[in-house]
């Protein structure tokens, strides 16, 4: 019998749902998990999807990077790791379609970095967040420290990294980390609901908008406005934009109605 997959991939209509399935280790992210996640991101189910949901099976979203397998690496091994399976965080962040992390239970360290690499985080009230890295003598290094600063600002980022070993879903919502906070057990369903709505939108417009938002924090206002107008000029020529304009003129329903 082959080992069961560490990452389950399924399609729910236009949405790809990826579920971490290393329940007995609270979905600790080992290189093997990362390798399957990379394969899932490269796979047809994700590539053809209009949105992606990432969830965790069992009692946690993820208790973080696998400390048994990923601690004590030499500098050379760390460079090699990020050139290999450790690239999965950036790969997930770079997906063109909207991405949703559905979080319950522990969401710590690398698990939280993975959730931060999603566009949206939907958590249920059981979610427990935290960055244990500094306690371990390191720091979140899979893009999470930078993403956190972007999301919540430097002072709050330092607070979460240095002063708060754990914080609740309600607190995370207050810090602006969450798109939605839902009752226990409902994060995957709510994430799927939002993802299905996003997947109905014209795909090229979604991709270009997501990419524009991703680069704008690094872009001058003048360059950003130019990108907006060039993107508008290009998107305005698409079949989707033509169809939407005709639907409006004929008072027909749009993609989300
Ligand atoms: N890496 C590797 N294994 C992990 C893990 C991690 N990050 N987090 C949990 N596990 C494993 C445990 O070792 C245990 O395995 P075992 O049954 O073979 O001993 C299993 O998952 C269940 O965890 P356990 O500690 O028994 O559950 P708990 O409910 O008592 O505690 C945590 C949960 C999350 C508080 C605790 O597991 C923990 O502190 N994990 C490490 C968190 C961490 O530092 N993550 C950041 C890494 S950057």
């Amino acid at each position: 019998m082959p080992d069961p997959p560490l990452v389950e991939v399924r399609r729910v209509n236009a949405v790809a749902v990826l579920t971490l399935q290393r329940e007995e280790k609270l979905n600790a992210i080992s290189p093997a998990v990362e390798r399957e996640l990379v394969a899932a991101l490269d796979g047809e189910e994700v590539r053809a999807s209009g949105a992606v949901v990432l969830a965790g099976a069992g009692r946690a979203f993820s208790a973080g990077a696998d400390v048994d397998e990923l601690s004590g690496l030499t500098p050379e091994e760390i460079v090699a790791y990020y050139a290999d399976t450790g690239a999965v965080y950036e790969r997930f962040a770079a997906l063109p379609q909207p991405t949703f992390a559905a979080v319950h239970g522990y969401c710590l360290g690398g698990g939280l970095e993975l959730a931060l690499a999603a566009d949206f985080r939907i958590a249920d009230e059981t979610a427990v967040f935290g960055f244990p890295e500094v306690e371990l003598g390191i720091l979140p290094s899979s893009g999470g420290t930078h993403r956190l600063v972007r999301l919540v600002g430097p002072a709050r980022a330092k607070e979460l990294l240095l002063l708060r070993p754990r914080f609740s879903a309600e607190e995370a919502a207050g810090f602006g980390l969450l798109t939605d906070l839902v009752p226990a057990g409902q994060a995957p369903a709510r994430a799927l609901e939002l993802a299905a709505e996003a997947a109905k939108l014209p795909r090229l417009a979604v991709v270009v908008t997501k990419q524009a938002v991703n680069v704008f924090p690094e872009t001058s206002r003048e360059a950003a406005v130019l990108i907006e107008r060039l993107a508008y000029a290009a998107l305005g020529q698409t079949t989707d934009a033509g169809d939407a304009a005709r639907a409006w003129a004929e008072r027909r329903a749009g993609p989300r109605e």
Side-chain angles (χ1 to χ4, degrees):
M1 277 269 284
D3 290 338
L6 295 167
V7 178
E8 182 201 59
V9 182
R10 66 193 171 95
R11 268 292 279 282
V12 181
N13 300 316
V15 180
V17 180
L18 311 182
T19 307
L20 305 175
Q21 294 198 129
R22 200 182 174 214
E23 291 181 36
E24 72 291 355
K25 295 286 181 185
L26 303 181
N27 297 319
I29 305 168
S30 62
V33 171
E34 292 167 344
R35 203 171 296 288
E36 287 198 25
L37 202 46
V38 169
L41 300 183
D42 283 340
E44 183 56 24
E45 298 290 12
V46 168
R47 276 192 292 125
S49 71
V52 177
V53 171
L54 176 64
R59 66 183 171 101
F61 175 75
S62 169
D66 189 310
V67 282
D68 296 324
E69 295 195 39
L70 289 168
S71 52
L73 300 184
T74 65
E76 291 78 8
E77 286 166 338
I78 291 171
V79 170
Y81 163 72
Y82 278 115
D84 187 18
T85 62
V88 70
Y89 296 84
E90 294 306 310
R91 293 285 308 282
F92 182 53
L95 280 182
Q97 58 275 72
T99 52
F100 298 75
V103 178
H104 74 290
Y106 289 110
C107 180
L108 303 176
L112 181 45
E113 289 194 88
L114 201 51
L116 290 173
D119 298 312
F120 307 103
R121 282 152 295 285
I122 317 301
D124 82 9
E125 60 200 10
T126 70
V128 175
F129 298 91
F131 288 107
E133 283 89 343
V134 176
E135 274 173 45
L136 299 170
I138 52 173
L139 85 169
S141 56
S142 298
T145 302
H146 187 250
R147 288 194 178 91
L148 186 67
V149 174
R150 276 282 165 72
L151 205 54
V152 301
R156 183 74 81 187
K158 288 176 201 164
E159 179 188 338
L160 301 185
L161 291 161
L162 304 178
L163 304 181
R164 285 183 182 255
R166 301 277 192 270
F167 51 98
S168 68
E170 205 172 313
E171 289 171 311
F175 300 151
L177 283 174
L178 304 184
T179 305
D180 212 348
L181 172 57
V182 294
Q186 292 183 22
R190 178 66 179 144
L192 187 56
E193 188 183 351
L194 292 172
E197 285 300 305
K200 288 183 195 162
L201 291 168
R203 293 213 181 159
L204 200 54
V206 169
V207 170
V208 171
T209 302
K210 171 170 169 171
Q211 288 176 349
V213 173
N214 284 349
V215 300
F216 281 178
E218 305 281 5
T219 311
S220 70
R221 180 173 159 72
E222 290 75 13
V225 169
L226 179 63
I227 289 170
E228 286 179 11
R229 291 176 189 170
L230 291 172
Y232 167 41
L235 289 172
Q237 304 305 308
T238 59
T239 314
D240 283 333
D243 289 348
R246 265 189 304 283
W248 168 253
E250 295 163 14
R251 300 292 186 265
R252 281 187 282 112
R256 283 199 279 204
E257 288 143 296

